[in-house]
Amino acid sequence: MMSATLAAHEKSARPNLDQGLGRAGQIGFAAVVIAAIGYVGYSIYLDASAAGVQTLAILPFILLFVALMIALGFEFVNGFHDTANAVATVIYTNAMPAHVAVVWSGFFNFLGVLLSTGVVAFSIVSLLPVELILQVGSNAGFAMVFALLIAAIIWNLATWWLGIPSSSSHTLIGSIIGVGVANAIMHGKSGTAGVDWSKAGEIGQALLFSPLIGFGLAALLFVAAKLLIRNKALYQEPKDGLPPPLWIRALLIFTCTGVSFAHGSNDGQKGMGLIMLILIGTVPTAYALNRAVPAQYAAEFHTNAHKAAIALHDTPNNAITPADARKAVTIYIADRNYQPVTKPAMATLIRDIDRQVADYGSLAKVPAAAVENVRNDMYLASEGLKRLGKEKAAGLSEDEKTAIGTYKASLDAGTRFIPTWVKVAVAVALGLGTMVGWKRIVVTVGEKIGKSHLTYAQGASAELVTMGTILAADQLGLPVSTTHVLSSGVAGTMAANRSGLQMSTIRNLVMAWVLTLPVSILLAGVLYMIFSALI
């Protein structure tokens, strides 16, 4: 009798999750997809034509189309995999109907991508082996991109199917590490040589500590609310589908909006960085160098290059050739082993890049045949200077570090850019993905973490902490898991309220957290070896 009553209560308390977009919504969805594909194709055509690329060459553009669809497919899956982060709390507190919440979240995910900084995009790319970045248009480069994206999509779909909230960021980073390790092993090196472990460690710490931050801060915020806000309605489960009081509803919608925006601004950038690699590999003339730098760029670049070379104690007796300099810097980045030749080699590379830019007059005037080489030299110098600035053995003063940091910023301005259409394409893919397939994980977050129904205060506490954590990570250029922060935040509020936790769900969350890295590393590594052989 008791179990039947409880089941009936849960059925009445559960929000309606079965109302879809409707006929008009489905037509609008399809129209946006078609318009977005047309916009992307037209934008690439314009960029290629402006750069003097022969757009009648079909094969590279077929390859480009396939790669872009896979990359945007990752963002689409990321969207519906992570929708629960933003909408579960507003749905289960009756602040918004489910079908309205997912459209609302999709729109603000879209805005978050459009207004993102781009810093996270290139921190992800920096994890990839430098030799593959420099040969991104080669067979190995395409095998790399296909392997890591497909591995990430497979794991995301598997955890979504099981209704387990897992991290898309965690998955993508594991896939990148898997490609790096496999590439090193295939070239007779130790598996640890294929990854920038210092950067991986920095990102790993962000992924490790963000759930703990979510759990702790959400619990503290909930306790503080209980002490300061004496409103019993905040701490009771919603009544029979009725919306909460207006001010509580406004707060919950605000947090849903903030998490959606933060998710878009952080997670959307991961796809952007990979799409830029695809564009550089297939249409380097149009996308390897930023042709839209200001008119004064060349003059400032020359000044900064001169100061950086002096900071590295460059002398007229420096007899290292540019070819030997490139080799020495590449080895330094790959092996992370500082040698006496490193600084003079870097100085030679800086001087040679400066000469090339000066000879052409501007990045926009670099001829098609030279674009890829100039871009590779600039990327190589940037990565080398990033590591050299932290190298104690280099013995650089603070002023010298400032000089090479300023020059590195000039290099990055010429190579690390994201066209508007790329942002729009990723924003549409992530936003549309948010509107489909969300029910499985929403149910897990809303019903299966705690033993009691989510209250208004619990939902708002978890969402506020998630929003703040992700926005802070975005500013620091760190990819963190919205899923981990939100799920642990909900768990933290349940623990603080002594509501009890459903340990079977917690075990699944922890298992997904633990297994995501090794599984995605193995998947991506195996796929990379297969694709390398096939391509």
Side-chain angles (χ1 to χ4, degrees):
M1 182 70 177
M2 178 70 74
S3 61
T5 304
L6 181 61
H9 172 73
E10 287 179 349
K11 184 176 180 181
S12 65
R14 186 182 188 186
N16 180 7
L17 302 179
D18 298 321
Q19 188 172 355
L21 296 174
R23 183 68 174 171
Q26 292 171 357
I27 294 172
F29 188 97
V32 171
V33 171
I34 294 169
I37 292 174
Y39 172 67
V40 168
Y42 184 63
S43 297
I44 293 172
Y45 173 79
L46 288 180
D47 290 345
S49 298
V53 177
Q54 176 53 265
T55 53
L56 296 178
I58 296 175
L59 185 59
F61 287 92
I62 291 175
L63 190 59
L64 172 60
F65 179 79
V66 172
L68 282 178
M69 288 303 102
I70 294 174
L72 293 173
F74 166 76
E75 287 298 340
F76 184 83
V77 172
N78 185 7
F80 70 72
H81 187 277
D82 290 359
T83 312
N85 303 325
V87 302
T89 54
V90 291
I91 291 173
Y92 275 85
T93 55
N94 299 325
M96 297 179 84
H99 66 290
V100 175
V102 295
V103 174
W104 182 273
S105 176
F107 176 72
F108 283 97
N109 266 280
F110 175 87
L111 282 185
V113 177
L114 286 186
L115 300 177
S116 59
T117 61
V119 176
V120 174
F122 295 109
S123 71
I124 286 287
V125 171
S126 295
L127 278 176
L128 292 163
V130 66
E131 62 269 25
L132 289 181
I133 296 292
L134 298 180
Q135 302 173 34
V136 71
S138 66
N139 294 345
F142 281 105
M144 167 189 73
V145 172
F146 289 150
L148 65 91
L149 283 172
I150 292 173
I153 289 172
I154 290 171
W155 182 247
N156 271 352
L157 286 175
T159 52
W160 165 79
W161 182 257
L162 295 172
I164 301 173
S166 70
S167 168
S168 297
S169 304
H170 217 156
T171 306
L172 184 60
I173 289 163
S175 299
I176 289 172
I177 292 173
V179 167
V181 170
N183 182 66
I185 292 173
M186 288 171 65
H187 288 83
K189 299 179 182 178
S190 163
T192 58
V195 179
D196 182 349
W197 291 106
S198 62
K199 187 66 179 177
E202 180 183 321
I203 292 173
Q205 287 177 16
L207 290 170
L208 174 65
F209 290 116
S210 55
L212 303 179
I213 291 170
F215 185 95
L217 289 185
L220 289 174
L221 186 59
F222 178 78
V223 170
K226 263 196 161 182
L227 292 173
L228 298 173
I229 306 173
R230 304 287 184 170
N231 185 334
K232 288 185 179 180
L234 273 175
Y235 313 105
Q236 296 174 350
E237 68 176 69
K239 304 294 184 183
D240 300 326
L242 294 175
L246 183 60
W247 74 272
I248 299 174
R249 190 178 191 183
L251 176 62
L252 288 164
I253 292 174
F254 169 74
T255 56
C256 166
T257 304
V259 171
S260 300
F261 184 87
H263 177 260
S265 70
N266 194 275
D267 276 42
Q269 294 189 56
K270 295 151 194 170
M272 288 182 205
L274 296 173
I275 285 174
M276 288 310 299
L277 282 184
I278 293 167
L279 292 170
I280 290 166
T282 49
V283 199
T285 306
Y287 297 108
L289 295 175
N290 185 1
R291 296 174 176 273
V293 290
Q296 68 272 21
Y297 175 83
E300 292 175 354
F301 185 86
H302 173 72
T303 301
N304 294 336
H306 179 68
K307 291 179 179 178
I310 292 174
L312 294 175
H313 306 163
D314 192 28
T315 66
N317 298 324
N318 184 353
I320 299 175
T321 65
D324 289 339
R326 291 184 190 94
K327 184 177 180 181
V329 173
T330 302
I331 292 172
Y332 169 62
I333 295 170
D335 297 343
R336 296 177 287 282
N337 184 20
Y338 179 80
Q339 299 290 335
V341 73
T342 302
K343 275 168 63 175
M346 186 66 73
T348 297
L349 184 58
I350 289 171
R351 295 288 191 194
D352 190 56
I353 295 170
D354 183 43
R355 177 193 58 77
Q356 293 179 70
V357 174
D359 286 349
Y360 298 127
S362 71
L363 296 185
K365 295 179 181 178
V366 177
V371 163
E372 196 165 358
N373 290 335
V374 173
R375 182 259 174 190
N376 281 353
D377 283 352
M378 293 176 76
Y379 181 86
L380 193 64
S382 177
E383 289 298 297
L385 289 172
K386 179 178 71 174
R387 182 167 297 281
L388 198 61
K390 302 175 184 177
E391 189 74 68
K392 292 182 179 179
L396 296 172
S397 68
E398 289 304 315
D399 288 344
E400 289 167 342
K401 289 180 181 178
T402 300
I404 65 173
T406 302
Y407 175 63
K408 181 184 180 302
S410 294
L411 290 168
D412 292 346
T415 56
R416 303 190 179 200
F417 66 102
I418 300 172
T420 300
W421 72 262
V422 172
K423 285 191 172 186
V424 171
V426 171
V428 169
L430 189 65
L432 292 181
T434 300
M435 300 179 196
V436 300
W438 46 269
K439 181 177 175 180
R440 290 176 182 273
I441 296 178
V442 163
V443 169
T444 299
V445 174
E447 300 180 18
K448 298 181 179 179
I449 292 179
K451 290 183 177 179
S452 64
H453 196 291
L454 195 70
T455 66
Y456 306 131
Q458 288 174 321
S461 298
E463 290 274 24
L464 279 170
V465 168
T466 303
M467 179 178 68
T469 302
I470 304 305
L471 287 174
D474 190 29
Q475 293 302 311
L476 295 172
L478 294 173
V480 297
S481 168
T482 312
T483 305
H484 284 167
V485 179
L486 189 279
S487 300
S488 59
V490 171
T493 62
M494 291 290 177
N497 198 40
R498 299 182 181 178
S499 306
L501 297 171
Q502 297 192 42
M503 296 313 297
S504 59
T505 301
I506 300 301
R507 279 194 297 271
N508 287 340
L509 289 171
V510 172
M511 285 298 292
W513 190 22
V514 170
L515 290 176
T516 292
L517 267 183
V519 170
S520 54
I521 288 171
L522 182 62
L523 263 177
V526 171
L527 286 174
Y528 176 70
M529 291 180 178
I530 293 171
F531 290 153
S532 294
L534 292 177
I535 299 176

